[in-house]
Amino acid sequence: MSEKLFDLSGKIALVTGGTHGLGMAIATGLANAGAKIVINDIFPEKLENAKKEYASKGVDVTTYLFDVTDEKAVDEYIGKIEKEVGPVDILVNNAGIIKRTPLLEMEVDDFEQVLKIDVTGPFIMSKRVVKSMVDRKSGGKIINMCSMMSEVGRHSVGAYAAAKGGLKMLTKNMATEWAKYNIQVNGIGPGYFATAQTAPIREGGHPFNELIMTRTPANRWGDPDELQGTAIYLASKASDFVTGIVVYVDGGILATLGKTKLEQ
Ligand code: NAP
Ligand code: GCO
C-alpha cells in the first residue's frame, strides 16, 4: 500500500528549465517514480543536449522551446503538450535566474527581469496549466522552486530574494484559491546546491564557499539528486492534504546561526 502513495505512473510532469541543474535532478526523480517527463527551455541546443543526457539516465523526455514569461507562447505550448503528450498533472516551476548586484548598483531593468522570470513566470505557467486541470476536473500538483532567499537576505541578491520571497507568498495564495479543485500547491526551498547557478560563488576558492561550510550544519553543498525525495512527495498522493507550505532542503542552514571554525 505505502509504495502506491509515491507512485507517479500514468502522470505527466512538466519541469520548466529542466535542461540541467536542479530541474534535471527533479525531473529524473519524478521519472524514476513513474512520471512521463516534459521539459522546456529557451535555447534549442540546450534542449538537444539535455535530451541526450536524460537518455543516458534511461529517461525519455519530450522537449519544447518556449519562454515561461511569454503568456502567448505558454498558452500555445501548453496546448501543444496536451495534444502531443497529454494533460499536465504535475507542474514544477523550476525556471529561474539570479543577478548578483548590490541594490544601489542594480539597474531597474535588471531588477524587473529577475522578478519577471522568477515570480511572473510561475504565475503565467500555473494559471495556464491550472485552467486545464479545472476544466478536466482532474486535480493536480504545482511545485514552485523557492529558495533560502524566500526566508533570509544576503548581500547582492536583493532582487532574487524579493522574487523568491514573493514566490513563497504566491505559493500560499495559489494553495488558498486552488485547494477547492483538489490542486495542491507547495514550494521546495533548496539551501545551497552545486549547480551552474552557484558555480561562480562556489568554485575557484571563492570566500562564499567557506561561509557555506561554516553556516551549514551538514558542512557541505547539496547534491541536486537530494531534492528528488521531496519532489516525489509533493508530486504524489502522499501529499494530497498538504498545500501552501515550503519544504526547505538545506542541510540545516536555516535552523542555525552557524558555527566557528573551531566548532566545525
Ligand atoms: P540554473 O542552472 O540557472 O537553471 C535554471 C534553468 O531555468 C535553466 O535551464 C534556464 O535555461 C531556465 N530558464 C531561465 N529563464 C527561463 C525562461 N524565461 N523560460 C524558460 N526557462 C528559463 O538554476 P539551478 O541552480 O538549476 O536552480 C533551478 C531553480 O532552483 C531556480 O529557480 C533557482 O532559483 C532555484 N534554486 C537554486 C538553488 C541552488 O543552490 N542552485 C537553491 C535554491 C533555489 P537556460 O540555461 O537556457 O538559460
Ligand atoms: C546566492 C545563491 C543562492 C542560491 C539559492 C539559495 O547567490 O546566494 O545563488 O541564491 O541560488 O537560492 O537557496
Side-chain angles (χ1 to χ4, degrees):
M1 177 57 194
S2 60
E3 65 282 357
K4 284 285 175 219
L5 279 175
F6 302 94
D7 183 2
L8 302 181
S9 304
K11 300 292 184 186
I12 293 171
L14 169 56
V15 180
T16 64
T19 56
H20 61 270
L22 302 190
M24 176 173 270
I26 286 172
T28 303
L30 298 179
N32 292 341
K36 190 183 282 187
I37 303 299
V38 179
I39 63 168
N40 80 304
D41 203 289
I42 48 180
F43 294 109
E45 64 279 8
K46 289 197 178 180
L47 287 170
E48 283 155 41
N49 293 336
K51 198 168 177 65
K52 292 182 191 128
E53 188 170 348
Y54 276 106
S56 71
K57 300 166 187 274
V59 179
D60 176 32
V61 299
T62 308
T63 64
Y64 290 91
L65 184 73
F66 67 91
D67 181 330
V68 297
T69 66
D70 180 340
E71 191 175 10
K72 191 168 175 296
V74 167
D75 184 48
E76 178 194 341
Y77 276 92
I78 297 301
K80 266 172 81 73
I81 291 166
E82 289 171 347
K83 278 199 195 76
E84 297 170 4
V85 184
V88 175
D89 301 294
I90 302 155
L91 171 63
V92 181
N93 285 308
N94 168 75
I97 65 166
I98 190 168
K99 287 181 184 288
R100 299 184 181 96
T101 309
L103 291 170
L104 282 179
E105 297 161 33
M106 187 167 228
E107 298 297 332
V108 173
D109 286 351
D110 286 337
F111 185 91
E112 289 182 340
Q113 189 191 14
V114 174
L115 268 77
K116 187 175 181 190
I117 294 169
D118 292 10
V119 187
T120 309
F123 166 63
I124 291 170
M125 284 298 304
S126 303
K127 185 182 172 191
R128 177 59 185 82
V129 167
V130 165
K131 182 184 174 304
S132 295
M133 288 174 175
V134 171
D135 291 348
R136 295 197 317 269
K137 296 187 173 56
S138 64
K141 301 284 188 179
I142 310 286
I143 299 170
N144 291 325
M145 290 304 286
C146 295
S147 159
M148 264 193 60
M149 271 65 219
S150 299
E151 298 295 338
V152 293
R154 105 168 171 82
H155 186 270
S156 82
V157 298
Y160 182 82
K164 294 298 188 179
L167 185 58
K168 176 180 77 170
M169 291 315 299
L170 182 61
T171 298
K172 291 174 186 288
N173 248 72
M174 288 175 171
T176 301
E177 294 189 20
W178 296 338
K180 66 183 176 185
Y181 303 120
N182 189 29
I183 296 166
Q184 290 81 49
V185 186
N186 293 290
I188 295 177
Y192 281 88
F193 281 74
T195 70
Q197 190 246 49
T198 55
I201 57 168
R202 177 166 36 86
E203 294 171 351
H206 195 291
F208 194 79
N209 184 51
E210 190 180 335
L211 174 70
I212 290 302
M213 293 306 135
T214 54
R215 279 283 280 110
T216 309
N219 272 346
R220 61 179 176 85
W221 291 76
D223 176 326
D225 287 356
E226 291 179 294
L227 293 171
Q228 291 178 342
T230 301
I232 292 166
Y233 167 64
L234 294 177
S236 70
K237 189 166 181 44
S239 61
D240 279 0
F241 200 52
V242 176
T243 197
I245 68 164
V246 177
V247 179
Y248 288 97
V249 185
D250 67 357
I253 195 170
L254 280 174
T256 179
L257 190 60
K259 52 194 177 306
T260 68
K261 283 185 191 155
L262 301 176
E263 295 157 351
Q264 289 283 2

